[in-house]
Amino acid sequence: MHPPTPSLVIDLPTVRRNLARLGDYAASHGLKLRPHTKTHKSIALAKLQLSLGGSTGLTVAKVGEAQVMAEATDDLLLAYPAVDEARCTALAKLAARCTLRVAIDSTFAADALSQAASREGTTIGILIDLDVGTHRTGVQSPAAALALAQHVDRAAGLRLDGLFFYPGFIASPPDQQKAALEAVDAMLRQTLDLWKAAGLEAPIVSGGSTPTAFQSHLIKCHTEVRPGTYIFYDMNGVRGGYASLDDCAARIHATVVSDAVPGQIVLDAGSKTLTMDRCGPAPDSGHGLIVEYPHAKITKLTEEHGQVDITACDRAPKLGERVTIIPNHICPCVNLQNQVWWTDNGSDPTPMPVDARGKVF
């Protein structure tokens, strides 16, 4: 049995292998894992991560994801600043059900969360977000991290639990990451020394990413790592040098629906399936890799059409033929699906809901 196309099909043996490999690595270096569920958005896969990967809890990006993933664990980290009343109130209520932590980078966020937690009679754990080079969020210096930590330590309804960082700017091949990771470690150490001198502790130092996951031991201040795409991987990982095609567990199945234009075929997977994301390490490589036709190039996406240049192929795909595509960036592709399909050692595909799909709040 084949699912209708376009569809996203997950190979569970590959998923298990990816989870176990990083779990073994983390255990060998005394690290805990807190996988980021924004990649798969599935309660079932979150539970699999918790059972196979040495995980201490889960990471989420949004409040809605936290509310869903509370069904999988009682230990959640929101890796996203919450500053508005609606989010803070929802988080304060959720903190009555589980251990909840939030990464923040402002006294504004601290005060908003403190007020919400005080109203609800709950306690929210806080990690201070330190910008180590990604320049997206995070306080800008160790001194600023100390000042915010002291503010949190005095706030009602909040518990200072440690530091948060994201080395997302490090996307080079693993054998070229050492100097950048050691510089991050030095900045973290400086911050922790300031905290210690001020009488503050940081039992959690939470960081990491999929590109740097297997070099996490170079950041000696780490206590836990938050990888996301490692469960599936994608062409960003393959072309970035930290994954192989065999590691890619999630693939789009599509059908050739037109070959009327010379040198081109059209697939039924457009921007509603593959997204418009280019490959970071190879932005001119097209919108994903067609596994059966590696010399083909997905050159243009509209909502329902994927236009493929096949002039470099030694044979042309046929009308009605099914092909498989490894997307550039798997996370938004999953979010476009109401359900995905999984196979286990050659079993017929089985549907699985994407439980946290569309949770933008």
Side-chain angles (χ1 to χ4, degrees):
M1 182 194 79
H2 293 295
T5 62
S7 56
L8 197 156
V9 180
I10 295 166
D11 182 65
L12 275 184
T14 304
V15 165
R16 293 190 189 100
R17 186 175 69 243
N18 291 343
L19 298 184
R21 185 170 63 225
L22 188 56
D24 290 345
Y25 163 84
S28 71
H29 291 282
L31 291 165
K32 296 185 182 297
L33 292 180
R34 187 181 291 276
H36 207 316
T37 62
K38 70 182 179 66
T39 297
H40 57 75
K41 302 179 184 294
S42 160
I43 294 170
L45 290 177
K47 289 180 176 179
L48 185 63
Q49 286 177 312
L50 291 165
S51 67
L52 286 182
S55 301
T56 186
L58 298 172
T59 304
V60 296
K62 291 299 182 77
V63 174
E65 290 177 2
Q67 292 167 331
V68 171
M69 291 303 159
E71 296 185 35
T73 183
D74 60 0
D75 191 337
L76 291 167
L77 167 63
L78 179 71
Y80 196 87
V83 300
D84 58 288
E85 183 176 352
R87 281 187 175 87
C88 293
T89 298
L91 289 169
K93 291 179 183 294
L94 186 59
R97 296 173 49 197
C98 66
T99 298
L100 179 72
R101 298 180 177 91
V102 182
I104 65 170
D105 62 2
S106 68
T107 57
F108 189 97
D111 292 345
L113 287 165
S114 173
Q115 291 165 14
S118 296
R119 287 195 303 268
E120 298 297 329
T122 57
T123 299
I124 298 172
I126 298 296
L127 300 183
I128 304 302
D129 181 1
L130 175 66
D131 180 10
V132 295
T134 302
H135 305 321
R136 186 172 67 182
T137 63
V139 296
Q140 294 298 295
S141 68
L146 172 61
L148 182 53
Q150 291 172 322
H151 185 88
V152 168
D153 192 50
R154 295 189 296 265
L158 303 185
R159 182 186 63 249
L160 180 64
D161 282 347
L163 270 175
F164 172 101
F165 69 98
Y166 175 54
F169 67 102
I170 305 174
S172 53
D175 62 358
Q176 299 174 27
Q177 296 177 2
K178 186 174 187 290
L181 290 170
E182 289 179 343
V184 169
D185 189 51
M187 188 175 186
L188 293 170
R189 174 51 56 196
Q190 182 183 358
T191 304
L192 293 172
D193 287 346
L194 285 177
W195 285 28
K196 185 176 180 180
L200 299 177
E201 296 183 356
I204 296 173
V205 180
S206 179
S209 65
T210 293
T212 62
F214 286 94
Q215 277 57 245
S216 296
H217 61 282
L218 297 175
I219 300 180
K220 301 187 185 306
C221 296
H222 256 151
T223 65
E224 65 178 35
V225 187
R226 304 186 313 274
T229 57
Y230 83 109
I231 187 172
F232 295 151
Y233 288 110
D234 51 25
M235 289 310 296
N236 279 331
V238 173
R239 298 192 189 278
Y242 51 89
S244 70
L245 291 178
D246 288 341
D247 296 328
C248 295
R251 306 185 182 203
I252 299 293
H253 288 214
T255 298
V256 179
V257 295
S258 175
D259 63 357
V261 177
Q264 174 183 279
I265 61 166
V266 177
L267 302 174
D268 61 353
S271 63
K272 284 176 159 181
T273 303
L274 292 169
T275 81
M276 297 296 285
D277 285 34
R278 293 283 182 173
C279 184
D284 296 326
S285 61
H287 297 279
L289 175 76
I290 302 177
V291 176
E292 297 83 359
Y293 298 92
H295 298 295
K297 184 175 181 181
I298 306 172
T299 56
K300 183 177 181 180
L301 299 178
T302 46
E303 287 185 74
E304 308 293 355
H305 301 76
Q307 294 173 232
V308 183
D309 182 343
I310 59 169
T311 55
C313 298
D314 56 7
R315 59 190 176 90
K318 303 298 183 184
L319 275 175
E321 183 177 346
R322 293 171 65 103
V323 298
T324 53
I325 306 163
I326 301 176
N328 287 331
H329 186 190
I330 189 59
C331 305
C333 293
V334 173
N335 192 54
L336 290 170
Q337 312 292 319
N338 286 324
Q339 67 179 16
V340 297
W341 301 76
W342 59 263
T343 62
D344 196 353
N345 290 314
S347 66
D348 285 342
T350 301
M352 179 174 66
V354 182
D355 302 290
R357 183 200 176 189
K359 300 296 185 183
V360 296
F361 164 70

